[in-house]
Amino acid sequence: MHRKIVFHIISHLDVGGAERVAINIAESPTEGIAYHVVELIRAHSDFTDVLIKELQDHNITYHRGWIPEIHFHYLFERLAALTFPLWFLWLFLKYKPQVLHSHTEMPDLSIYCFFCLFPWALKRCKIVRTIHNTRLWTGMQRTGRRIEAFFIRQNANIAISEAVKSNYQAHYHDCPPIIYNGVAPVKQQPYSQLKAGKINILFAGRFEEQKGIDTLIEIIKSQKDSAIYHFHVIGGGSLASLLTAELGGFTHVSIREPLFNLASYLASFDFLLMPSRHEGLSILALEANFNGLPAIINACPGLHETLPNDWPLRVEHNDLNTYLHLFNDVLPVINRHEIQSIARQFAEKHFSMRSMREGYERLYAQAFKA
């Protein structure tokens, strides 16, 4: 049987929620579809090697970007997007994909540039574009509006949450359908740096303003005299030096580099702390739900949807007094087994891998019939 070709265009082969979603879809066992992963910017981390092995193990064809991943005012990302059509045309003509599925802004810009240069290619494939974030095109609003108009004309947009949908509707006056990101349980392994006799709290993610780093610092400082908590802060980003400066002198916190395959360690911890200001739809929160790690969340857009509305570890507007109440009065006595079960059941109902894959493959099927 001749297999249909779907290209997933991602920013880089590295750790990231959107990249994880693309690879999860590409690992679908559905017969008759051949998935390819196309990298825009050539990543070079330890995670890159592991992701490449994962793609190879699942017999997924991948294509590496030309421009190296160098962070300098988004210069290299934009250069990669602008040069993308020149090397992607060869892949497009060779494999003749029926679907191009774009994830995040730089791949979106790349696809837009490609079809601006080669508009005839639109007759040969369908575009699917997943909107992963509630805030788009920071610093590129004018360009972003042209790109959004293009995706709206192509009827390409899919939102990953109610928060993403409502934000997109408010800014671009279009109402995309929702396909929730899907997650599955993973085999757990022990995290070797746990502190025995303590309640081990995990924060994991990018050290950026969006993730509520200022609130995280306040919370950790508030527990400096507590004998029962140890905080594990895992990640990296532009606020790493601030975290080190503010928390480096405390013994109840450990700050470490990103940990690949973090989902396989989640059950080792007691609670996950997520003071994010906004999310598209947090993959980490869903992974925590599936793998037995109760989350303390700020009820921000894209995060409150991952748990029931009556979730007992929910904080409104990152209110520090509510966090203090949870840490001082609730966490030491709460029935973790009971809330683990509640979170798992909620995730299985709303965010299964099977539902996500089936949702996207129904869209692809429309292109296959054309």
Side-chain angles (χ1 to χ4, degrees):
M1 180 178 65
H2 177 68
R3 295 201 297 172
K4 305 297 186 180
I5 306 294
V6 176
F7 275 14
H8 284 276
I9 318 297
I10 64 171
S11 177
H12 54 191
L13 284 167
D14 207 340
V15 63
E19 287 76 14
R20 186 67 262 168
V21 168
I23 293 172
N24 284 346
I25 299 170
E27 291 175 355
S28 170
T30 301
E31 294 184 0
I33 305 177
Y35 286 103
H36 293 226
V37 172
V38 181
E39 178 191 48
L40 175 62
I41 305 158
R42 184 175 287 257
H44 49 76
S45 73
D46 293 339
F47 302 151
T48 302
D49 296 333
V50 178
L51 280 181
I52 287 174
K53 185 178 186 305
E54 180 179 343
L55 293 173
Q56 292 170 341
D57 289 344
H58 285 84
N59 297 313
I60 299 169
T61 304
Y62 61 93
H63 311 278
R64 304 296 311 274
W66 288 4
I67 303 298
E69 186 176 31
I70 301 174
H71 299 290
F72 184 75
H73 301 291
Y74 294 101
L75 175 63
F76 286 85
E77 289 89 342
R78 295 179 188 184
L79 178 62
L82 294 174
T83 58
F84 171 82
L86 303 179
W87 64 268
F88 182 70
L89 178 63
W90 179 82
L91 289 178
F92 186 86
L93 294 174
K94 178 180 179 181
Y95 291 101
K96 299 179 176 61
Q98 283 82 17
V99 176
L100 300 185
H101 190 158
S102 180
H103 300 265
T104 69
E105 290 154 298
M106 288 301 107
D108 296 341
L109 175 58
S110 303
I111 292 294
Y112 171 77
C113 292
F114 177 75
F115 286 112
C116 283
L117 283 177
F118 309 111
W120 50 264
L122 277 171
K123 299 177 182 180
R124 302 191 178 195
C125 70
K126 175 180 174 59
I127 304 170
V128 175
R129 183 275 192 112
T130 298
I131 309 170
H132 288 273
N133 296 305
T134 54
R135 299 183 185 180
L136 300 173
W137 306 111
T138 301
M140 298 178 62
Q141 284 82 4
R142 184 175 299 179
T143 299
R145 292 202 173 273
R146 292 199 297 270
I147 295 169
E148 296 307 330
F150 167 77
F151 282 114
I152 290 170
R153 287 196 303 271
Q154 300 305 315
N155 194 29
N157 289 327
I158 301 294
I160 63 168
S161 67
E162 288 289 347
V164 167
K165 175 182 176 179
S166 61
N167 177 79
Y168 195 85
Q169 189 172 12
H171 283 83
Y172 301 107
H173 313 293
D174 186 56
C175 190
I178 295 174
I179 297 178
Y180 284 112
N181 288 340
V183 174
V186 299
K187 184 178 180 180
Q188 295 295 296
Q189 57 184 314
Y191 182 65
S192 62
Q193 304 298 320
L194 293 179
K195 299 298 181 179
K198 303 284 186 179
I199 296 176
N200 288 269
I201 309 290
L202 171 66
F203 171 93
R206 291 179 290 112
F207 297 162
E208 306 292 346
E209 182 182 5
Q210 172 193 343
K211 300 298 183 180
I213 296 300
D214 54 343
T215 302
L216 175 69
I217 291 171
E218 285 189 277
I219 294 169
I220 293 175
K221 283 185 173 181
S222 75
Q223 301 301 310
K224 67 181 186 300
D225 296 324
S226 172
I228 64 173
Y229 294 111
H230 190 87
F231 293 86
H232 303 263
V233 179
I234 298 175
S238 64
L239 298 180
S241 58
L242 174 65
L243 271 169
T244 302
E246 293 287 338
L247 301 175
F250 295 106
T251 59
H252 70 305
V253 56
S254 304
I255 303 174
R256 293 189 171 87
E257 296 288 322
L259 179 64
F260 186 79
N261 202 18
L262 175 66
S264 68
Y265 297 96
L266 293 178
S268 294
F269 298 92
D270 296 299
F271 297 96
L272 174 66
L273 176 57
M274 301 193 73
S276 300
R277 286 188 166 86
H278 62 89
E279 297 277 354
L281 185 73
S282 173
I283 293 293
L284 177 59
L286 300 182
E287 290 173 334
N289 292 348
F290 271 106
N291 293 293
L293 178 59
I296 306 159
I297 64 165
N298 180 41
C300 68
L303 189 50
H304 70 78
E305 291 176 59
T306 65
L307 288 159
N309 288 332
D310 58 353
W311 182 245
L313 304 182
R314 170 178 169 142
V315 176
E316 301 290 339
H317 309 297
N318 261 345
D319 179 63
L320 185 60
N321 288 328
T322 306
Y323 281 118
L324 292 178
H325 167 64
L326 290 178
F327 278 90
N328 296 337
D329 305 320
V330 177
L331 299 190
V333 298
I334 197 167
N335 186 329
R336 288 184 68 252
H337 179 74
E338 179 180 337
I339 62 174
Q340 283 171 341
S341 177
I342 292 171
R344 172 95 180 224
Q345 291 175 23
F346 188 83
E348 288 174 342
K349 181 178 179 180
H350 297 283
F351 305 106
S352 73
M353 190 79 76
R354 179 180 176 181
S355 295
M356 177 185 69
R357 288 170 173 168
E358 289 179 347
Y360 281 113
E361 287 176 349
R362 281 193 294 268
L363 292 180
Y364 303 157
Q366 298 172 14
F368 301 158
K369 295 176 182 177

